[in-house]
Amino acid sequence: MKHFVLGIFIILTFVISPLQTNATTKPCSMVLEPIDKKLTNSKGTALVYKVQLRPPSFARTNVSILGVHLPEPSSYGNYDSYEGFALIPDEISWRFRLYPSPEKESPTWAGRFDEITAKMENVEVQVRLSNSKTEKLGPIILRSNIKYCK
């Protein structure tokens, strides 16, 4: 009888407990670094965590981005805003608008996306230039990879 109970306990441990993967399942944050090293003051952060906004549906992943001391978008050409962009290469991507704070000089840009259902493996998070009228996405200004999420 003891062996039977022990066997059931071991089987349940492997069946019920989640397998260890490289997916980010807990809240974490990462620093977004500038692509252009001349942008020494430009930095950002991304927060990645599970949210359940519409119970009883399952939880989804939220990516929130904050970017500070970013250059004026128009200084790069025909751009007027920034967007958050997250992608799993060769699989899927998500883009969402970042909104400026009311400061006239060097506003803080922030935004979020709450509807990610994919496993967060090998995800790159970026802040990119954008033209809000044409919806053209421009070059990357800040980025990081989820493997640096802490």
Side-chain angles (χ1 to χ4, degrees):
M1 181 67 174
K2 289 180 185 177
H3 290 350
F4 177 75
V5 172
L6 180 61
I8 295 293
F9 178 76
I10 291 171
I11 290 170
L12 287 176
T13 300
F14 287 108
V15 171
I16 293 175
S17 70
L19 295 174
Q20 294 294 323
T21 68
N22 291 331
T24 299
T25 58
K26 59 184 176 188
C28 69
S29 62
M30 64 187 104
V31 175
L32 305 176
E33 296 288 348
I35 298 295
D36 182 351
K37 298 306 175 197
K38 289 183 263 179
L39 298 175
T40 57
N41 289 331
S42 297
K43 296 280 185 201
T45 187
L47 174 64
V48 179
Y49 71 105
K50 291 285 188 186
V51 293
Q52 184 154 9
L53 302 174
R54 292 177 290 283
S57 71
F58 61 91
R60 289 166 164 74
T61 299
N62 165 283
V63 174
S64 299
I65 294 177
L66 179 115
V68 295
H69 299 291
L70 300 175
E72 183 63 36
S74 61
S75 67
Y76 283 89
N78 193 20
Y79 301 105
D80 61 358
S81 64
Y82 286 99
E83 287 192 26
F85 192 75
L87 73 144
I88 300 172
D90 302 320
E91 190 173 326
I92 192 167
S93 64
W94 306 272
R95 65 187 273 192
F96 52 97
R97 193 142 180 229
L98 300 181
Y99 295 92
S101 61
E103 291 93 5
K104 299 238 186 254
E105 294 288 323
S106 189
T108 299
W109 293 81
R112 71 170 198 244
F113 187 71
D114 293 319
E115 300 293 331
I116 299 173
T117 57
K119 284 187 179 181
M120 299 302 282
E121 294 177 343
N122 193 31
V123 175
E124 185 167 305
V125 178
Q126 306 168 350
V127 171
R128 297 181 71 161
L129 290 158
S130 176
N131 182 310
S132 62
K133 292 168 187 60
T134 65
E135 296 186 2
K136 180 183 177 193
L137 199 56
I140 302 166
I141 301 299
L142 305 174
R143 78 170 166 200
S144 187
N145 191 293
I146 200 146
K147 65 183 173 187
Y148 301 116
C149 217
K150 297 179 183 182

